[in-house]
Amino acid sequence: MIAVTVSELIQSALAELDHPENTAALPLWKEKLLRFANEAVVDLYETFHPWRRDLLTLQNGVLDLTALPYTVAKVLGVERGGMRVPFFYGADTDTIRVPGVQDGLMTVVYRYLPKTLILDGDEPELPSACDPLIVLYMTGRFCLTDDAQGLNHATAALSLYETRKRRLKLDFDEPTDYRIVNRF
């Protein structure tokens, strides 16, 4: 899917709120909506615990986690050839040690921390299925400061946000979760 930027998220939220974009209040709205977008990213991260699989080169039994494309929150596993291998953290949290394995490429399975959205061109570091949820959260939080009609809209938007978040939860569970799989 196409990546969504902060600017596009704000435009979607403003369209949902029926606010014109060319008013003098746009900078204030933009600041508020950006703050709400970051709140949504944190909430979605805490709900889904997004994870990735990336390749790293093992050198002298050490993997340098700073070479990964995202900031590591927690290493879930280390694999070679589809087989998990034992590992432990080094002297700091930027390296892990993989004893008894030859140097070479390893797959690191890890939870990552999404960056804070600041610039108009920034993209949320969450799966693209979360983008509509971010817009829902932004509009719901924005409407909480409105009148009674705004409060009704906020309640509906935030309720829909929570419902859709629960539906997506099953798709984004960690690879270590237990599930029953029928192989027949």
Side-chain angles (χ1 to χ4, degrees), residues 50-56 58 63 65 68 72-89 96-98 105-112 174-177:
W51 57 275
R52 296 179 48 93
R53 290 174 123 68
D54 287 312
L55 293 175
L56 270 184
L58 182 68
L63 289 169
L65 300 177
L68 290 167
V72 176
K74 178 181 180 181
V75 175
L76 303 173
V78 178
E79 302 172 350
R80 177 171 279 162
M83 301 288 293
R84 290 262 171 141
V85 295
F87 69 93
F88 60 92
Y89 279 92
I96 55 174
R97 300 206 176 267
V98 184
L105 285 178
M106 304 285 297
T107 301
V108 179
V109 182
Y110 64 101
R111 268 196 238 151
Y112 63 92
E174 290 181 7
T176 55
D177 284 349

Side-chain angles (χ1 to χ4, degrees), residues 39-75:
E39 286 178 13
V41 167
V42 169
D43 182 56
L44 292 168
Y45 169 78
E46 290 174 354
T47 300
F48 297 134
H49 302 290
W51 57 275
R52 296 179 48 93
R53 290 174 123 68
D54 287 312
L55 293 175
L56 270 184
T57 303
L58 182 68
Q59 295 176 338
N60 299 323
V62 177
L63 289 169
D64 180 12
L65 300 177
T66 60
L68 290 167
Y70 292 85
T71 304
V72 176
K74 178 181 180 181
V75 175

